[in-house]
Amino acid sequence: MATEHGDVTPTKRTWPVFGSLQSYRREWIRPDVVAGLTVWAVLVPEALAYATIAGVPPVVGLYAAVPALILYAAAGSSRHLIVGPMSATAALSAAIIAPLAGADGGKYIALSTVLAIATGIVGLLAGLIRLGFIASFISEPVLKGFIVGLALTIIIGQVPKLFGVEKSDGNFFEQAWGVIRHLGDTDWRTLVVGVLSLAVVLGFKRWLPLVPGSLLAVLIGIAAVGVFGLAGKGVTIVGHIDSGLPSLGLPSGVGFDDYIDLLGPAVGVLLIGFAEGLGAAKTYAAKAGYDVDANRELMGLGAANLGAGLASGMVVNGSLSKTAVNGGAGAKSQVSGLMVAALTILTLLFLTGLFENLPEATLAAVVIAAVIELVDFAALRRLYGVWTERLGSIYGYAARADFAAAIAAMAGVLLFDTLPGLVIGIGVSMLLLLYRVSRPHVAALVKQDTLWVDAERHSEIPTRDDVVVVRVEAGLFFANCDHVKARIEDLCTDRTRVVVLDAETSPFVDVTAAKMLMELRDALGRKGIDLRVARDIGQFRDTLGRAATEGRSVSVYPTVAAALAGTGADA
């Protein structure tokens, strides 16, 4: 089935490997090749920089990129996600390895490779036992807030390169303050290069989207350094890059205990990589009209890290910024990623010198232009709008929770960095889930023709004081039974004589909730109110029946009409 974007949604079972190439179209070759060229121009210098963040030689970033791109394309489910070294996991790798390696540089490199292998093993196992459901606990508002926070963090991390000033450590706000403090140290040549590069990328994206503005900016930047001798005038360039292919196999100088010791930290690395990669994959899958499989994403990330480690590389994950470059350049499938892998091999063999003159300001401009569209404040405003529209309605609490969850995830990333921010986001998702299931909507019902409908939605229909019909729009269990009991009691007045619980929308009840119904029956009975249950189904009926064997029971009726028979109500 074709989508408005011209992509095809597969109607048959996805291939077990290279699934993104299923139903491939010939007309996709050109945009995939252009996207591959554009991402390659960004990935090479970024991989070199992120390797430095991880504390390993710059070329290790390129070593990791090649197998990661190929193996993710084979095992992953996204057509657009680009996998490679990234700043968050690189920084986490450095924090994990530094205490273990000490001053031994050789062991440091080896353990960095072991961490990639351990992360790959954990990812493959997680995918095989189908732990992708964990992603279901990260709600869309939380994921949106996380991506906005991550995109802002990436941008502020690139701004110092744009101005040619020293980068400050710390969270988003500390880095932003660092930029402000060092504005007086701005190198005007670097700023000119950065601003012009940003103008080229954004300008072509806005007015000539078919032209790869990122690639053009990179080529212009390299040419400018060569023509005007900018490297000797204060403009920072990427610098020397070793050439040649990596050695394959397990790293030397480490033992089995090192692998075991790094399995635990590998879970944290995987969690960060999975969250960022899944967020990026979902963002561009939604734009192109297809779905991503969380379990296959775990498998793809695991295979990518395992391959990176076995190729003398470092930890990798799905890249938000490079995926944005890939999608913005018009990629249609993982052919673009395979193209990047092939070009990276050629780079290692023949072209390392080409990128030695690339200005870091140009690189920063390409990254900023790529992620700026992901700073989706409009989505946060829409969540806030839903909150204000529904504030005071029966659904207001859910709207407030969604907006609060998005803001908490974004603030967590901005204040505490990626891993703590992700943990905060997941925690908020879980609290949001618990909050919602513990506060189900308990609707007072009125009769409209032959149907019983929510009285709050149909205020024009008169109600009776002596009869209360309620519906709980959730299963009844230990976490929400007190709320349901309190809500039903609140609906009763001094004139109420019968309460009917329409149980059709409650597919299950646990022992705690069944006991609550017995207690509610007794509490209402002391006020002269009769509690009746109508339309109990399946497990609800079974559990309520078992609870009745203890000598306490609630009157059960097949329909609401039967429950109201004899009350004088229009049933």
Side-chain angles (χ1 to χ4, degrees):
M1 181 176 66
T3 71
E4 61 177 332
H5 299 275
D7 294 343
V8 173
T9 302
T11 57
K12 57 184 179 181
R13 187 173 182 178
T14 304
W15 295 349
V17 293
F18 293 105
S20 74
L21 303 186
Q22 191 170 8
S23 302
Y24 194 81
R25 290 182 172 187
R26 181 176 298 177
E27 58 264 30
W28 292 355
I29 294 177
R30 181 185 179 278
D32 277 342
V33 170
V34 171
L37 285 166
T38 307
V39 174
W40 164 72
V42 175
L43 179 141
V44 171
E46 279 196 353
L48 302 174
Y50 296 149
T52 303
I53 293 175
V56 295
V59 75
V60 171
L62 297 181
Y63 293 163
V66 174
L69 289 162
I70 296 172
L71 292 175
Y72 176 80
S77 64
S78 170
R79 300 178 192 170
H80 295 88
L81 187 66
I82 295 296
V83 176
M86 275 300 297
S87 57
T89 47
L92 186 57
S93 174
I96 292 169
I97 301 304
L100 301 176
D104 189 339
K107 187 175 183 181
Y108 189 105
I109 297 173
L111 288 178
S112 297
T113 300
V114 170
L115 180 61
I117 294 173
T119 302
I121 293 171
V122 172
L124 288 171
L125 289 175
L128 286 172
I129 61 178
R130 305 188 68 78
L131 290 183
F133 72 89
I134 294 173
S136 301
F137 291 96
I138 307 176
S139 67
E140 282 298 322
V142 166
L143 193 59
K144 177 60 68 176
F146 176 77
I147 287 180
V148 171
L150 187 57
L152 288 171
T153 301
I154 291 173
I155 289 172
I156 199 62
Q158 299 297 320
V159 169
K161 296 180 182 178
L162 207 64
F163 285 81
V165 300
E166 180 182 352
K167 180 181 178 181
S168 301
D169 295 326
N171 61 34
F172 171 86
F173 299 101
E174 291 168 335
Q175 291 186 55
W177 178 242
V179 172
I180 294 172
R181 286 191 297 109
H182 290 100
L183 282 179
D185 301 327
T186 299
D187 181 87
W188 70 268
R189 292 183 181 86
T190 300
L191 182 60
V192 169
V193 170
V195 170
L196 289 179
S197 298
L198 189 60
V200 168
V201 179
L202 293 178
F204 276 93
K205 181 183 292 186
R206 174 67 176 83
W207 290 292
L208 293 171
L210 296 180
V211 178
S214 298
L215 181 58
L216 185 61
V218 166
L219 295 176
I220 292 174
I222 292 172
V225 169
V227 172
F228 299 108
L230 297 179
K233 298 178 181 179
V235 176
T236 304
I237 60 175
V238 170
H240 176 70
I241 306 171
D242 292 330
S243 61
L245 296 177
S247 59
L248 304 179
L250 297 174
S252 59
V254 294
F256 181 73
D257 290 344
D258 293 311
Y259 288 88
I260 298 300
D261 292 340
L262 287 173
L263 282 177
V267 174
V269 175
L270 181 72
L271 188 59
I272 284 224
F274 181 54
E276 181 175 354
L278 186 64
K282 281 189 170 183
T283 297
Y284 285 91
K287 291 182 178 182
Y290 66 94
D291 295 322
V292 293
D293 184 329
N295 291 307
R296 285 192 61 186
E297 289 305 292
L298 281 171
M299 293 286 289
L301 183 58
N305 272 284
L306 183 60
L310 293 176
S312 304
M314 55 182 284
V315 291
V316 296
N317 64 273
S319 168
L320 186 64
S321 58
K322 285 185 280 294
T323 302
V325 172
N326 194 39
K332 299 296 184 181
S333 77
Q334 282 295 333
V335 166
S336 63
L338 296 174
M339 180 75 176
V340 178
L343 290 171
T344 304
I345 292 175
L346 291 176
T347 301
L348 284 167
L349 292 175
F350 309 112
L351 303 176
T352 52
L354 175 64
F355 288 92
E356 292 180 355
N357 286 331
L358 174 63
E360 289 193 356
T362 298
L363 173 61
V366 171
V367 174
I368 290 172
V371 301
I372 197 168
E373 66 180 36
L374 300 176
V375 184
D376 194 357
F377 287 128
L380 299 181
R381 284 197 298 271
R382 285 193 294 272
L383 283 174
Y384 180 77
V386 171
W387 172 15
T388 54
E389 287 173 9
R390 293 184 172 181
L391 196 61
S393 76
I394 57 177
Y395 300 104
Y397 76 91
R400 292 193 297 272
D402 282 340
F403 177 72
I407 295 300
M410 181 182 71
V413 175
L414 297 179
L415 288 170
F416 305 110
D417 209 355
T418 309
L419 181 56
L422 177 60
V423 172
I424 290 172
I426 293 175
V428 169
S429 290
M430 296 302 296
L431 289 174
L432 175 60
L433 174 64
L434 293 174
Y435 180 74
R436 285 179 170 172
V437 300
S438 67
R439 296 291 186 273
H441 179 49
V442 181
L445 304 182
V446 293
K447 192 171 185 183
Q448 183 183 54
D449 298 327
T450 60
L451 300 175
W452 287 91
V453 295
D454 192 331
E456 189 168 343
R457 290 176 174 269
H458 298 272
S459 57
E460 74 282 0
I461 302 177
T463 60
R464 291 186 50 158
D465 293 336
D466 58 336
V467 173
V468 174
V469 181
V470 299
R471 177 178 66 210
V472 181
E473 298 179 352
L476 291 175
F477 63 111
F478 67 93
N480 64 22
C481 60
D482 288 340
H483 169 76
V484 171
K485 181 174 180 290
R487 171 63 176 156
I488 292 176
E489 289 176 333
D490 288 343
L491 289 172
C492 296
T493 68
D494 293 339
R495 299 186 59 187
T496 303
R497 293 294 173 260
V498 175
V499 172
V500 178
L501 172 61
D502 183 354
E504 186 179 35
T505 56
S506 298
F508 67 90
V509 61
D510 70 358
V511 174
T512 303
K515 181 181 177 182
M516 177 275 292
L517 290 176
M518 306 303 170
E519 294 172 351
L520 179 62
R521 182 207 62 175
D522 295 342
L524 294 178
R526 288 191 290 270
K527 299 178 181 179
I529 302 173
D530 186 17
L531 175 64
R532 304 174 182 180
V533 175
R535 299 202 292 183
D536 57 327
I537 58 175
Q539 191 268 348
F540 191 105
R541 181 188 305 116
D542 296 339
T543 303
L544 205 60
R546 285 194 295 269
T549 62
E550 300 176 1
R552 306 167 70 193
S553 62
V554 177
S555 300
V556 179
Y557 297 84
T559 64
V560 175
L564 291 174
T567 65
D570 181 13

